[in-house]
Amino acid sequence: MGRYVVTGASSGIGLEIALQLAAQGNGVIALGRDRERLRNLALRDRRIEVRVLDIRDRAAVAALAAELAGADVIDGLINNAAIQHNVRLDDRLYGADEIADEIETNLVAPLILSRLLLPRTPARPFVIVNVGSALACYPKATSAVYSATKAGLRMFSDALRVQFDGTPVRVVDVVLPVVDTPMTAGRGRGKITAGAAAAAIVRALEPGPARLHVGKAKLLRLLQLVAPPVAAAIIRKL
Ligand SMILES: NC(=O)c1ccc[n+]([C@@H]2O[C@H](COP(=O)([O-])OP(=O)(O)OC[C@H]3O[C@@H](n4cnc5c(N)ncnc54)[C@H](OP(=O)(O)O)[C@@H]3O)[C@@H](O)[C@H]2O)c1
């Protein structure tokens, strides 16, 4: 059993991750901005400790990390929170603030959280799971910035693996297919449930492959090898 920090636990996949980890007897520190939804999550399982925290707020993130460093040991971090704007870059309502928000939430915050929650000395086992997407490899036509953030997160996972090679620090990135959550409401077909996506992410905490493809993302990996243009054509229309 371990104790894990889960970002984006107030909705969709993150909420399911928190519930599944707690049901297995793990300690969970569940982060999100929506106080009411987090309160409901805590009521569903009292082993889940919820914290209202905007992961873009660097002072709040630093304070949480300092508090956790002085208390019980944390065994891992699941970087799950993200936002996705489904618009072209030149959309009238998509400006500098929206671009910066998407990058701060999906890329800058997970990198800072990873930095601050890593054990002071890498001699202690620690696992970072970065929740990724097929859009890290092939772009979706209406989500240029989101695709770029997921590609950045994927490279970050690869880079950390190189840095911490030979230490007990593990970094896993999970490549998800389309999942039925508020993020994909009203679009996408053949979606898997948030529970199924969460189960794969929870499994990624155990020793195993460094990159985990889930559901139809496994097919994408195959297409990448045998027919890259077909893979690209599928993803751009998602
Ligand atoms: N759904 C899919 O098809 C799909 C496919 C591939 C990958 N993914 C990835 O899966 C992960 C979970 O997505 P989801 O589908 O479960 O989305 P979701 O239901 O929209 O949930 C997103 C979560 O992120 C949190 N969040 C957003 N901005 C935040 C901020 N500034 N500070 C703190 N928390 C913040 C939200 O919490 P608050 O609203 O409380 O802030 C919410 O809990 C994401 O990394 C996403 O990119 C999803």
Side-chain angles (χ1 to χ4, degrees):
M1 292 305 102
R3 191 159 180 255
Y4 300 98
V5 173
V6 181
T7 70
S10 59
S11 170
I13 299 163
L15 186 142
E16 293 291 336
I17 295 170
L19 288 171
Q20 291 183 23
L21 282 175
Q24 290 178 1
N26 297 291
V28 181
I29 299 163
L31 310 182
R33 289 170 303 179
D34 190 306
R35 188 176 298 276
E36 191 55 26
R37 280 191 270 132
L38 286 175
R39 202 178 67 86
N40 288 336
L41 175 64
L43 289 175
R44 286 177 70 178
D45 193 318
R46 294 197 177 277
R47 289 167 291 198
I48 302 174
E49 184 187 336
V50 296
R51 299 293 184 96
V52 178
L53 184 140
D54 186 330
I55 56 170
R56 295 165 304 174
D57 180 343
R58 291 189 198 164
V61 167
L64 174 75
E67 180 197 327
L68 294 178
D72 286 349
V73 160
I74 298 295
D75 299 288
L77 163 68
I78 302 181
N79 278 316
N80 166 77
I83 55 171
Q84 182 180 167
H85 290 283
N86 258 302
V87 288
R88 276 174 50 124
L89 193 67
D90 57 1
D91 187 279
R92 195 171 53 84
L93 298 174
Y94 189 66
D97 288 345
E98 287 73 22
I99 292 171
D101 268 358
E102 212 165 356
I103 297 171
E104 279 281 333
T105 308
N106 300 2
L107 189 56
V108 178
L111 270 55
I112 291 176
L113 271 162
S114 302
R115 169 70 184 88
L116 295 180
L117 292 183
L118 267 171
R120 297 247 162 88
T121 106
R124 182 164 70 68
F126 192 79
V127 57
I128 296 173
V129 178
N130 290 322
V131 178
S133 159
L135 274 57
C137 301
Y138 296 103
K140 177 175 140 182
T142 53
S143 287
V145 175
Y146 177 88
S147 301
T149 62
K150 289 299 182 185
L153 193 62
R154 180 182 171 109
M155 179 53 79
F156 176 63
S157 301
D158 288 342
L160 278 193
R161 262 179 231 123
V162 172
Q163 283 188 2
F164 288 95
D165 191 25
T167 78
V169 173
R170 289 176 55 237
V171 183
V172 185
D173 64 303
V174 179
V175 186
L176 292 180
V178 186
V179 185
D180 192 9
T181 70
M183 183 179 275
T184 60
R187 63 184 172 89
R189 284 177 301 161
K191 302 180 207 180
I192 63 167
T193 64
I201 292 163
V202 168
R203 273 198 304 277
L205 293 169
E206 302 304 324
R211 177 162 293 135
L212 200 72
H213 291 77
V214 180
K216 285 183 189 162
K218 289 183 192 152
L219 182 64
L220 177 81
R221 189 176 44 169
L222 194 68
L223 277 176
Q224 265 179 290
L225 293 174
V226 297
V230 178
I234 293 170
I235 300 294
R236 68 178 289 169
K237 285 186 272 179
L238 278 182

